[in-house]
Amino acid sequence: IDFMGQKISPLEFSVNYILHKRKELIEKYGPKEPVGCLKIKIKGSKNSNKLEYDFSMFSKGKGLSKNQISPKGKTPCIHYGELFTFYPEIINVIASYTDISKNMVYSQKNDVLMPTSDVTPNGLAKASSIMLDKVIIGGDILIIKPNRNIVFGPFLSYHIRESRNVILRLVSGITVYHLYAKDMKKYPLFIPEYDEQQAIANVLTTADKEIDLLNQKLDTLKQQKKALMQLLLTGIVRTTGLNISSDTEEEGVAYVQ
């Protein structure tokens, strides 16, 4: 038990350290304006102190019900529900396929996808940058099309997800909540140069993968520790540290040091 505890503690420290460094990076380039960065805000801003540039266009998905999704389909597609449950900040692999192809809306690399409706406002602070062309985008999905020379899609995706409070102020509705293009046009985006955006997104992606891996190891060790404790407490496994002689050992009971 002590040995497992000694292995768990360093893993927990590593996870917390990476989370701390990740938070520092996000705070630097989050909703607050960082020093020395290119100031970009949606065209039409009344604040004359900021460079006004229409950095993106907006579109929306179309159709695609769940019964139109088939594992044997020929065309990759994204259903809006998958933005809540499956896809992270960056989409490189598609989970669903369909045989529907006519009069549909297709992705372009660097697009950023957001759900436009949900029963809770928090669910709308989701964004996923798709790095694939020609993927069908279903209905109830807002498609942000950043200028590829100015905004790196994955950076924008991370920026939106970490700006939950800003997004919530743009959401409308009472029973069902909505977020549309007209709302996202009010979203303030302050960004560094394009190369730095790419570097930041890469660092965050690497950090998230490392956190996931460490958490998997932690979960495994904790489950093993829990299982061993149950065996010890129920007497199925005994410890030889109790100085039990061979004459008193019970049949069917395992003994460990």
Side-chain angles (χ1 to χ4, degrees), residues 234-253:
T234 56
I236 297 175
V237 172
R238 301 279 180 84
T239 172
T240 58
L242 297 176
N243 295 321
I244 298 175
S245 67
S246 59
D247 295 334
T248 59
E249 288 183 357
E250 299 179 25
E251 185 178 353
V253 175

Side-chain angles (χ1 to χ4, degrees), residues 88-92 110-113 127-131 152-155 157:
E89 290 86 350
I90 304 174
I91 301 176
N92 288 308
N110 204 57
D111 284 352
V112 175
L113 311 179
S128 300
S129 178
I130 183 166
M131 305 307 286
F152 185 50
F155 177 87
S157 175

Side-chain angles (χ1 to χ4, degrees), residues 55-56 78 82-84 86-94 107-115 125-135 137 141-148 151-161 194 197-198 201-202 204-205 208:
F55 76 93
S56 66
I78 294 178
E82 294 172 326
L83 296 179
F84 298 108
F86 185 76
Y87 290 114
E89 290 86 350
I90 304 174
I91 301 176
N92 288 308
V93 179
I94 302 301
S107 70
Q108 291 181 315
K109 183 178 180 180
N110 204 57
D111 284 352
V112 175
L113 311 179
M114 297 182 69
K126 294 279 189 181
S128 300
S129 178
I130 183 166
M131 305 307 286
L132 302 166
D133 291 321
K134 298 181 179 180
V135 176
I137 307 300
I141 296 179
L142 173 65
I143 307 172
I144 305 175
K145 295 182 171 294
N147 185 315
R148 296 189 187 189
V151 181
F152 185 50
F155 177 87
L156 177 57
S157 175
Y158 274 109
H159 195 286
I160 290 172
R161 284 188 180 232
Y194 191 86
Q197 292 177 53
Q198 289 181 307
N202 289 338
L204 291 173
T205 301
D208 288 344

Side-chain angles (χ1 to χ4, degrees), residues 17-219:
Y17 177 77
I18 296 173
L19 285 171
H20 174 71
K21 301 304 289 185
R22 184 188 188 280
K23 182 180 178 181
E24 285 184 344
L25 187 60
I26 288 295
E27 287 178 347
K28 182 178 180 181
Y29 294 106
K32 295 180 180 179
E33 181 181 356
V35 177
C37 287
L38 177 64
K39 300 175 181 178
I40 295 183
K41 194 164 184 176
I42 296 296
K43 185 177 180 181
S45 169
K46 295 181 180 180
N47 190 339
S48 59
N49 294 325
K50 292 181 174 63
L51 173 66
E52 296 178 2
Y53 191 90
D54 192 359
F55 76 93
S56 66
M57 297 174 60
F58 295 87
S59 181
K60 61 181 180 179
K62 180 180 179 182
L64 193 65
S65 61
K66 285 187 176 180
N67 58 19
Q68 291 177 319
I69 297 176
S70 169
K72 296 182 180 179
K74 297 180 180 179
T75 306
C77 63
I78 294 178
H79 185 270
Y80 93 101
E82 294 172 326
L83 296 179
F84 298 108
T85 60
F86 185 76
Y87 290 114
E89 290 86 350
I90 304 174
I91 301 176
N92 288 308
V93 179
I94 302 301
S96 301
Y97 290 81
T98 183
D99 287 320
I100 306 297
S101 59
K102 292 184 179 180
N103 300 319
M104 301 301 287
V105 176
Y106 291 86
S107 70
Q108 291 181 315
K109 183 178 180 180
N110 204 57
D111 284 352
V112 175
L113 311 179
M114 297 182 69
T116 61
S117 62
D118 191 22
V119 293
T120 65
N122 288 331
L124 298 179
K126 294 279 189 181
S128 300
S129 178
I130 183 166
M131 305 307 286
L132 302 166
D133 291 321
K134 298 181 179 180
V135 176
I136 290 178
I137 307 300
D140 271 346
I141 296 179
L142 173 65
I143 307 172
I144 305 175
K145 295 182 171 294
N147 185 315
R148 296 189 187 189
N149 298 318
I150 298 176
V151 181
F152 185 50
F155 177 87
L156 177 57
S157 175
Y158 274 109
H159 195 286
I160 290 172
R161 284 188 180 232
E162 298 298 333
S163 305
R164 180 179 301 273
N165 291 335
V166 177
I167 297 297
L168 292 182
R169 292 198 293 268
L170 303 176
V171 171
S172 60
I174 300 176
T175 305
V176 178
Y177 297 88
H178 303 283
L179 182 70
Y180 300 118
K182 64 180 179 63
D183 304 311
M184 284 304 294
K185 285 181 179 180
K186 303 173 186 177
Y187 181 75
L189 178 64
F190 303 98
I191 60 174
E193 298 294 343
Y194 191 86
D195 290 346
E196 190 173 357
Q197 292 177 53
Q198 289 181 307
I200 291 168
N202 289 338
V203 168
L204 291 173
T205 301
T206 301
D208 288 344
K209 289 180 179 178
E210 184 67 17
I211 290 169
D212 288 343
L213 181 60
L214 290 172
N215 279 327
Q216 289 174 17
K217 291 181 178 179
L218 270 174
D219 289 341

